[in-house]
Amino acid sequence: MAGMLELVFSLSILMSMAFSSTAQSCKSYAFSSNKIFRACNDLPVLNSYLHWNYDSSSNKLQIAYRHAGITSSKWVAWAINPTSTSMAGSQALVAYQQNDGTMRAYTSPISSYQTSMQEGELSFDVSDLSATLANNELILFATISLSNTSTTVNQVWQDGPLSGNAPQIHLTSGSNVQSMGTLNLLSGESSSTGGSAKTTKRNIHGVLNAVSWGILMPIGAFDSKVLEAYIVGVAGWATGLKLGSESAGIQYDAHRTIGIFLFCLATLQVFALLLRPKADHKYRFYWNIYHHVVGYSVIILSITNIFKGFDILNPDEKWKNAYIGVIVALALNAVWLEGYTWYVVVKRKSSEAAVKMPRATNGSNGASGVGAPSCIFMEVRVRSDSFTGLS
């Protein structure tokens, strides 16, 4: 078990590194408007860059926020949050191209996570606000009068879809929930509060659950590893609860609901092992029916929730393809075992029928009738107990 956990956490670190994004350098960029910015920062996600000039004597901040890989069907925003490193409370600068081709740039205070990016006044003054869109890159310009003397600001940047000329809610997974951090205006040092520790926790949560619920649980159906899968799965479930408590306003209702229901079913499945009747007990047949139904329900829900987790983490496609390959291999193995089990049942049934045949030929009334229930009972026993690790 210790070796398995070490493997899981190693995979978590590797996946965390694989999921992180790399940005191009902003230092070589030249603005077509001949504007010059003395400092710049490569933001870690969403193909974004921030250029700025800061005058400490007047507390004026002149910025150019660049968002590459964007189209006219999306809005972009850059914001300062005076009170925290989260989205709620941010004072945002928003820009997008309207249907008539003109650019719109405006200010929008963000009071909640369910915002519609409505225009409004910010807690600080903004001037020279404008935006351009060319070569799939939107640049937002502004001059901000900071309301405090701190040289470190909390920044948030974002993009999202448009419906006509109306901004819609952005994605709540992947890079869109990692685009926040702090920035020192004098030194240029920055940190990403959304894409470091929390991302690592999310990846650990994903790997724990993919290995336990998504791989070990299906294997347990054939190799009696249900308890091992359950123990690792509880750790993954616990990390999910912790992440939920640390991510107020960001909810994945379907993923969470399936996870809770899955944990309850798996708990019942494990405790049912303590109440398993003996093989010849009259209730063993009904216990097998219950145990198999719950067990296969757990497997189906596990795989479903793993794919919902992929949609949330938004990793490279190779990780999803690798998991699909594992599931396909397990499914083929299950089909082979099912076929082999039926082969054993039919072969034993034929052998017993051949043994009983002379008795029937000699006129022993009812002899053949004794053999049939015996074969049926053996078939049930083989189907229920011989290969399914869930029982």
PDB file of all heavy atoms in Angstrom, residues 254-277:
ATOM      1  N   ALA A 254     -22.416  18.697 -10.664  1.00  0.00           N
ATOM      2  CA  ALA A 254     -22.551  17.306 -11.107  1.00  0.00           C
ATOM      3  C   ALA A 254     -21.396  16.457 -10.579  1.00  0.00           C
ATOM      4  O   ALA A 254     -21.611  15.361 -10.061  1.00  0.00           O
ATOM      5  CB  ALA A 254     -22.610  17.248 -12.629  1.00  0.00           C
ATOM      6  N   HIS A 255     -20.175  16.960 -10.694  1.00  0.00           N
ATOM      7  CA  HIS A 255     -18.991  16.231 -10.226  1.00  0.00           C
ATOM      8  C   HIS A 255     -19.068  15.993  -8.717  1.00  0.00           C
ATOM      9  O   HIS A 255     -18.764  14.891  -8.242  1.00  0.00           O
ATOM     10  CB  HIS A 255     -17.741  17.037 -10.582  1.00  0.00           C
ATOM     11  CG  HIS A 255     -16.453  16.344 -10.254  1.00  0.00           C
ATOM     12  ND1 HIS A 255     -16.017  15.226 -10.918  1.00  0.00           N
ATOM     13  CD2 HIS A 255     -15.504  16.612  -9.322  1.00  0.00           C
ATOM     14  CE1 HIS A 255     -14.860  14.837 -10.432  1.00  0.00           C
ATOM     15  NE2 HIS A 255     -14.528  15.652  -9.449  1.00  0.00           N
ATOM     16  N   ARG A 256     -19.479  16.999  -7.977  1.00  0.00           N
ATOM     17  CA  ARG A 256     -19.565  16.871  -6.518  1.00  0.00           C
ATOM     18  C   ARG A 256     -20.665  15.897  -6.115  1.00  0.00           C
ATOM     19  O   ARG A 256     -20.455  15.037  -5.240  1.00  0.00           O
ATOM     20  CB  ARG A 256     -19.838  18.240  -5.894  1.00  0.00           C
ATOM     21  CG  ARG A 256     -19.930  18.219  -4.375  1.00  0.00           C
ATOM     22  CD  ARG A 256     -20.286  19.584  -3.839  1.00  0.00           C
ATOM     23  NE  ARG A 256     -21.565  20.045  -4.370  1.00  0.00           N
ATOM     24  CZ  ARG A 256     -22.101  21.225  -4.072  1.00  0.00           C
ATOM     25  NH1 ARG A 256     -21.446  22.075  -3.312  1.00  0.00           N
ATOM     26  NH2 ARG A 256     -23.264  21.571  -4.571  1.00  0.00           N
ATOM     27  N   THR A 257     -21.838  16.002  -6.758  1.00  0.00           N
ATOM     28  CA  THR A 257     -22.960  15.131  -6.403  1.00  0.00           C
ATOM     29  C   THR A 257     -22.631  13.672  -6.684  1.00  0.00           C
ATOM     30  O   THR A 257     -22.897  12.788  -5.857  1.00  0.00           O
ATOM     31  CB  THR A 257     -24.219  15.549  -7.180  1.00  0.00           C
ATOM     32  OG1 THR A 257     -24.536  16.914  -6.870  1.00  0.00           O
ATOM     33  CG2 THR A 257     -25.397  14.667  -6.806  1.00  0.00           C
ATOM     34  N   ILE A 258     -22.064  13.410  -7.867  1.00  0.00           N
ATOM     35  CA  ILE A 258     -21.685  12.036  -8.194  1.00  0.00           C
ATOM     36  C   ILE A 258     -20.640  11.536  -7.210  1.00  0.00           C
ATOM     37  O   ILE A 258     -20.679  10.378  -6.761  1.00  0.00           O
ATOM     38  CB  ILE A 258     -21.154  11.947  -9.632  1.00  0.00           C
ATOM     39  CG1 ILE A 258     -22.281  12.235 -10.630  1.00  0.00           C
ATOM     40  CG2 ILE A 258     -20.564  10.560  -9.910  1.00  0.00           C
ATOM     41  CD1 ILE A 258     -21.831  12.284 -12.077  1.00  0.00           C
ATOM     42  N   GLY A 259     -19.686  12.386  -6.839  1.00  0.00           N
ATOM     43  CA  GLY A 259     -18.646  11.992  -5.899  1.00  0.00           C
ATOM     44  C   GLY A 259     -19.199  11.588  -4.542  1.00  0.00           C
ATOM     45  O   GLY A 259     -18.772  10.587  -3.954  1.00  0.00           O
ATOM     46  N   ILE A 260     -20.145  12.371  -4.026  1.00  0.00           N
ATOM     47  CA  ILE A 260     -20.749  12.057  -2.725  1.00  0.00           C
ATOM     48  C   ILE A 260     -21.543  10.755  -2.804  1.00  0.00           C
ATOM     49  O   ILE A 260     -21.440   9.883  -1.933  1.00  0.00           O
ATOM     50  CB  ILE A 260     -21.648  13.221  -2.265  1.00  0.00           C
ATOM     51  CG1 ILE A 260     -20.792  14.463  -1.977  1.00  0.00           C
ATOM     52  CG2 ILE A 260     -22.460  12.830  -1.032  1.00  0.00           C
ATOM     53  CD1 ILE A 260     -21.600  15.705  -1.669  1.00  0.00           C
ATOM     54  N   PHE A 261     -22.355  10.620  -3.851  1.00  0.00           N
ATOM     55  CA  PHE A 261     -23.157   9.411  -4.022  1.00  0.00           C
ATOM     56  C   PHE A 261     -22.253   8.192  -4.201  1.00  0.00           C
ATOM     57  O   PHE A 261     -22.509   7.113  -3.652  1.00  0.00           O
ATOM     58  CB  PHE A 261     -24.067   9.587  -5.237  1.00  0.00           C
ATOM     59  CG  PHE A 261     -25.096   8.497  -5.394  1.00  0.00           C
ATOM     60  CD1 PHE A 261     -26.005   8.210  -4.382  1.00  0.00           C
ATOM     61  CD2 PHE A 261     -25.155   7.753  -6.554  1.00  0.00           C
ATOM     62  CE1 PHE A 261     -26.946   7.204  -4.517  1.00  0.00           C
ATOM     63  CE2 PHE A 261     -26.102   6.750  -6.710  1.00  0.00           C
ATOM     64  CZ  PHE A 261     -26.994   6.478  -5.685  1.00  0.00           C
ATOM     65  N   LEU A 262     -21.162   8.380  -4.937  1.00  0.00           N
ATOM     66  CA  LEU A 262     -20.206   7.306  -5.171  1.00  0.00           C
ATOM     67  C   LEU A 262     -19.551   6.862  -3.870  1.00  0.00           C
ATOM     68  O   LEU A 262     -19.399   5.662  -3.609  1.00  0.00           O
ATOM     69  CB  LEU A 262     -19.145   7.798  -6.153  1.00  0.00           C
ATOM     70  CG  LEU A 262     -18.093   6.814  -6.657  1.00  0.00           C
ATOM     71  CD1 LEU A 262     -18.761   5.637  -7.349  1.00  0.00           C
ATOM     72  CD2 LEU A 262     -17.156   7.527  -7.629  1.00  0.00           C
ATOM     73  N   PHE A 263     -19.170   7.808  -3.038  1.00  0.00           N
ATOM     74  CA  PHE A 263     -18.544   7.481  -1.759  1.00  0.00           C
ATOM     75  C   PHE A 263     -19.505   6.694  -0.869  1.00  0.00           C
ATOM     76  O   PHE A 263     -19.104   5.721  -0.218  1.00  0.00           O
ATOM     77  CB  PHE A 263     -18.118   8.772  -1.056  1.00  0.00           C
ATOM     78  CG  PHE A 263     -17.610   8.555   0.345  1.00  0.00           C
ATOM     79  CD1 PHE A 263     -16.340   8.054   0.573  1.00  0.00           C
ATOM     80  CD2 PHE A 263     -18.410   8.848   1.437  1.00  0.00           C
ATOM     81  CE1 PHE A 263     -15.870   7.843   1.864  1.00  0.00           C
ATOM     82  CE2 PHE A 263     -17.956   8.649   2.725  1.00  0.00           C
ATOM     83  CZ  PHE A 263     -16.679   8.143   2.941  1.00  0.00           C
ATOM     84  N   CYS A 264     -20.780   7.101  -0.856  1.00  0.00           N
ATOM     85  CA  CYS A 264     -21.773   6.388  -0.033  1.00  0.00           C
ATOM     86  C   CYS A 264     -21.967   4.955  -0.516  1.00  0.00           C
ATOM     87  O   CYS A 264     -21.999   4.014   0.290  1.00  0.00           O
ATOM     88  CB  CYS A 264     -23.099   7.151  -0.055  1.00  0.00           C
ATOM     89  SG  CYS A 264     -23.045   8.774   0.735  1.00  0.00           S
ATOM     90  N   LEU A 265     -22.096   4.773  -1.839  1.00  0.00           N
ATOM     91  CA  LEU A 265     -22.278   3.433  -2.382  1.00  0.00           C
ATOM     92  C   LEU A 265     -21.054   2.554  -2.106  1.00  0.00           C
ATOM     93  O   LEU A 265     -21.187   1.380  -1.740  1.00  0.00           O
ATOM     94  CB  LEU A 265     -22.525   3.502  -3.887  1.00  0.00           C
ATOM     95  CG  LEU A 265     -23.919   3.916  -4.358  1.00  0.00           C
ATOM     96  CD1 LEU A 265     -23.967   3.933  -5.874  1.00  0.00           C
ATOM     97  CD2 LEU A 265     -24.987   2.979  -3.808  1.00  0.00           C
ATOM     98  N   ALA A 266     -19.860   3.123  -2.287  1.00  0.00           N
ATOM     99  CA  ALA A 266     -18.645   2.350  -2.061  1.00  0.00           C
ATOM    100  C   ALA A 266     -18.512   1.961  -0.596  1.00  0.00           C
ATOM    101  O   ALA A 266     -18.041   0.868  -0.270  1.00  0.00           O
ATOM    102  CB  ALA A 266     -17.426   3.156  -2.509  1.00  0.00           C
ATOM    103  N   THR A 267     -18.915   2.854   0.298  1.00  0.00           N
ATOM    104  CA  THR A 267     -18.873   2.541   1.732  1.00  0.00           C
ATOM    105  C   THR A 267     -19.808   1.378   2.051  1.00  0.00           C
ATOM    106  O   THR A 267     -19.448   0.454   2.793  1.00  0.00           O
ATOM    107  CB  THR A 267     -19.250   3.777   2.568  1.00  0.00           C
ATOM    108  OG1 THR A 267     -18.336   4.848   2.259  1.00  0.00           O
ATOM    109  CG2 THR A 267     -19.177   3.472   4.057  1.00  0.00           C
ATOM    110  N   LEU A 268     -21.011   1.413   1.491  1.00  0.00           N
ATOM    111  CA  LEU A 268     -21.950   0.299   1.672  1.00  0.00           C
ATOM    112  C   LEU A 268     -21.368  -0.995   1.100  1.00  0.00           C
ATOM    113  O   LEU A 268     -21.519  -2.066   1.692  1.00  0.00           O
ATOM    114  CB  LEU A 268     -23.281   0.623   0.991  1.00  0.00           C
ATOM    115  CG  LEU A 268     -24.154   1.699   1.644  1.00  0.00           C
ATOM    116  CD1 LEU A 268     -25.371   1.980   0.768  1.00  0.00           C
ATOM    117  CD2 LEU A 268     -24.594   1.255   3.037  1.00  0.00           C
ATOM    118  N   GLN A 269     -20.698  -0.877  -0.029  1.00  0.00           N
ATOM    119  CA  GLN A 269     -20.124  -2.061  -0.670  1.00  0.00           C
ATOM    120  C   GLN A 269     -19.047  -2.707   0.200  1.00  0.00           C
ATOM    121  O   GLN A 269     -18.989  -3.935   0.331  1.00  0.00           O
ATOM    122  CB  GLN A 269     -19.537  -1.652  -2.030  1.00  0.00           C
ATOM    123  CG  GLN A 269     -19.044  -2.797  -2.869  1.00  0.00           C
ATOM    124  CD  GLN A 269     -20.184  -3.552  -3.527  1.00  0.00           C
ATOM    125  OE1 GLN A 269     -21.268  -3.670  -2.976  1.00  0.00           O
ATOM    126  NE2 GLN A 269     -19.946  -4.079  -4.703  1.00  0.00           N
ATOM    127  N   VAL A 270     -18.205  -1.880   0.800  1.00  0.00           N
ATOM    128  CA  VAL A 270     -17.137  -2.409   1.648  1.00  0.00           C
ATOM    129  C   VAL A 270     -17.707  -3.041   2.919  1.00  0.00           C
ATOM    130  O   VAL A 270     -17.308  -4.141   3.318  1.00  0.00           O
ATOM    131  CB  VAL A 270     -16.130  -1.296   2.005  1.00  0.00           C
ATOM    132  CG1 VAL A 270     -15.149  -1.770   3.075  1.00  0.00           C
ATOM    133  CG2 VAL A 270     -15.363  -0.873   0.753  1.00  0.00           C
ATOM    134  N   PHE A 271     -18.659  -2.355   3.569  1.00  0.00           N
ATOM    135  CA  PHE A 271     -19.236  -2.905   4.794  1.00  0.00           C
ATOM    136  C   PHE A 271     -20.086  -4.139   4.528  1.00  0.00           C
ATOM    137  O   PHE A 271     -20.273  -4.971   5.412  1.00  0.00           O
ATOM    138  CB  PHE A 271     -20.070  -1.838   5.512  1.00  0.00           C
ATOM    139  CG  PHE A 271     -19.237  -0.901   6.336  1.00  0.00           C
ATOM    140  CD1 PHE A 271     -18.928   0.371   5.871  1.00  0.00           C
ATOM    141  CD2 PHE A 271     -18.744  -1.289   7.572  1.00  0.00           C
ATOM    142  CE1 PHE A 271     -18.144   1.233   6.621  1.00  0.00           C
ATOM    143  CE2 PHE A 271     -17.961  -0.429   8.334  1.00  0.00           C
ATOM    144  CZ  PHE A 271     -17.657   0.837   7.852  1.00  0.00           C
ATOM    145  N   ALA A 272     -20.599  -4.261   3.303  1.00  0.00           N
ATOM    146  CA  ALA A 272     -21.378  -5.455   2.965  1.00  0.00           C
ATOM    147  C   ALA A 272     -20.517  -6.706   3.006  1.00  0.00           C
ATOM    148  O   ALA A 272     -21.025  -7.816   3.209  1.00  0.00           O
ATOM    149  CB  ALA A 272     -22.007  -5.290   1.585  1.00  0.00           C
ATOM    150  N   LEU A 273     -19.203  -6.542   2.814  1.00  0.00           N
ATOM    151  CA  LEU A 273     -18.303  -7.697   2.893  1.00  0.00           C
ATOM    152  C   LEU A 273     -18.315  -8.324   4.277  1.00  0.00           C
ATOM    153  O   LEU A 273     -18.118  -9.529   4.433  1.00  0.00           O
ATOM    154  CB  LEU A 273     -16.872  -7.265   2.529  1.00  0.00           C
ATOM    155  CG  LEU A 273     -16.638  -6.821   1.082  1.00  0.00           C
ATOM    156  CD1 LEU A 273     -15.223  -6.281   0.922  1.00  0.00           C
ATOM    157  CD2 LEU A 273     -16.876  -7.972   0.122  1.00  0.00           C
ATOM    158  N   LEU A 274     -18.550  -7.483   5.300  1.00  0.00           N
ATOM    159  CA  LEU A 274     -18.594  -7.997   6.676  1.00  0.00           C
ATOM    160  C   LEU A 274     -19.855  -8.811   6.940  1.00  0.00           C
ATOM    161  O   LEU A 274     -19.902  -9.594   7.892  1.00  0.00           O
ATOM    162  CB  LEU A 274     -18.518  -6.830   7.666  1.00  0.00           C
ATOM    163  CG  LEU A 274     -17.276  -5.924   7.545  1.00  0.00           C
ATOM    164  CD1 LEU A 274     -17.372  -4.760   8.534  1.00  0.00           C
ATOM    165  CD2 LEU A 274     -16.004  -6.726   7.773  1.00  0.00           C
ATOM    166  N   LEU A 275     -20.877  -8.612   6.113  1.00  0.00           N
ATOM    167  CA  LEU A 275     -22.163  -9.300   6.298  1.00  0.00           C
ATOM    168  C   LEU A 275     -22.396 -10.367   5.234  1.00  0.00           C
ATOM    169  O   LEU A 275     -23.521 -10.843   5.076  1.00  0.00           O
ATOM    170  CB  LEU A 275     -23.313  -8.277   6.256  1.00  0.00           C
ATOM    171  CG  LEU A 275     -23.231  -7.134   7.276  1.00  0.00           C
ATOM    172  CD1 LEU A 275     -24.365  -6.138   7.039  1.00  0.00           C
ATOM    173  CD2 LEU A 275     -23.288  -7.681   8.695  1.00  0.00           C
ATOM    174  N   ARG A 276     -21.354 -10.769   4.539  1.00  0.00           N
ATOM    175  CA  ARG A 276     -21.512 -11.747   3.464  1.00  0.00           C
ATOM    176  C   ARG A 276     -21.873 -13.115   4.031  1.00  0.00           C
ATOM    177  O   ARG A 276     -21.124 -13.679   4.840  1.00  0.00           O
ATOM    178  CB  ARG A 276     -20.220 -11.846   2.656  1.00  0.00           C
ATOM    179  CG  ARG A 276     -20.284 -12.892   1.544  1.00  0.00           C
ATOM    180  CD  ARG A 276     -19.068 -12.810   0.637  1.00  0.00           C
ATOM    181  NE  ARG A 276     -17.824 -12.910   1.397  1.00  0.00           N
ATOM    182  CZ  ARG A 276     -16.623 -12.779   0.860  1.00  0.00           C
ATOM    183  NH1 ARG A 276     -16.519 -12.511  -0.443  1.00  0.00           N
ATOM    184  NH2 ARG A 276     -15.533 -12.895   1.593  1.00  0.00           N
ATOM    185  N   PRO A 277     -22.997 -13.683   3.615  1.00  0.00           N
ATOM    186  CA  PRO A 277     -23.369 -15.032   4.075  1.00  0.00           C
ATOM    187  C   PRO A 277     -22.422 -16.079   3.491  1.00  0.00           C
ATOM    188  O   PRO A 277     -21.742 -15.837   2.498  1.00  0.00           O
ATOM    189  CB  PRO A 277     -24.790 -15.206   3.518  1.00  0.00           C
ATOM    190  CG  PRO A 277     -25.244 -13.840   3.139  1.00  0.00           C
ATOM    191  CD  PRO A 277     -24.022 -13.081   2.758  1.00  0.00           C
TER     192      PRO A 277
END
